[in-house]
Amino acid sequence: MIIPRHVIDEMIDQARQDAPNESCGYLLGSGDVVIENYWMENVDHSPEHFSFSPRDQFAALRYAREHGLNILANWHSHPASPSRPSEEDLRLANDPHIRYAILSLLNDEPHLNSFKILNKKVVDKEIHL
């Protein structure tokens, strides 16, 4: 998956604004190229986990369809831990067709990786930042 720098910068800005809570959203695009970040509210308002609101998820799906885009990845931030899936992240990764991107803000040094997760195991990792 290719994530342009301006989209990564937007994700970092969003994650810093939402910190100390996790930030989250979808990465929308075509093929394997991300075109935009679709921010969604972390309704858990937690620094250790996130949940999308169903209303935001339906709005994102509608927006993607209207603009001819696909959901390429589900992403969230780890404000104080590394860019790797937690046990909860692995357990909740149920869609085998998308990637799961994690933006770490640990020590104020952003790192972004995305993962293909199948059967609660990482089967592929891409480093984006």
Side-chain angles (χ1 to χ4, degrees):
M1 181 172 64
I2 299 165
I3 309 173
R5 183 60 200 223
H6 75 276
V7 174
I8 293 173
D9 290 342
E10 184 180 307
M11 295 166 67
I12 292 168
D13 289 345
Q14 175 186 323
R16 285 180 171 154
Q17 287 176 20
D18 290 346
N21 293 329
E22 288 190 359
S23 191
C24 57
Y26 283 144
L27 296 177
L28 306 178
S30 181
D32 68 346
V33 179
V34 172
I35 294 171
E36 64 184 280
N37 167 39
Y38 191 98
W39 176 85
M40 289 192 277
E41 179 184 5
N42 175 358
V43 295
D44 291 340
H45 303 286
S46 168
E48 297 176 357
H49 52 86
F50 74 98
S51 295
F52 299 138
S53 79
R55 183 175 7 164
D56 282 352
Q57 284 183 288
F58 286 120
L61 287 170
R62 188 175 329 107
Y63 178 87
R65 286 186 185 132
E66 288 171 358
H67 291 87
L69 302 171
N70 297 308
I71 296 170
L72 302 183
N74 163 331
W75 83 271
H76 69 282
S77 64
H78 282 181
S81 60
S83 176
R84 64 176 178 241
S86 67
E87 289 300 317
E88 180 176 331
D89 294 336
L90 293 171
R91 184 174 51 81
L92 297 175
N94 295 315
D95 188 339
H97 300 95
I98 66 171
R99 297 187 72 79
Y100 293 87
I102 300 173
L103 173 64
S104 171
L105 298 178
L106 183 63
N107 301 322
D108 201 33
E109 294 181 30
H111 293 279
L112 176 63
N113 298 316
S114 71
F115 307 88
K116 190 67 144 177
I117 300 173
L118 299 173
N119 299 319
K120 302 182 185 354
K121 294 187 186 330
V122 171
V123 296
D124 181 60
K125 174 184 174 180
E126 292 179 354
I127 299 169
H128 302 283
L129 176 69

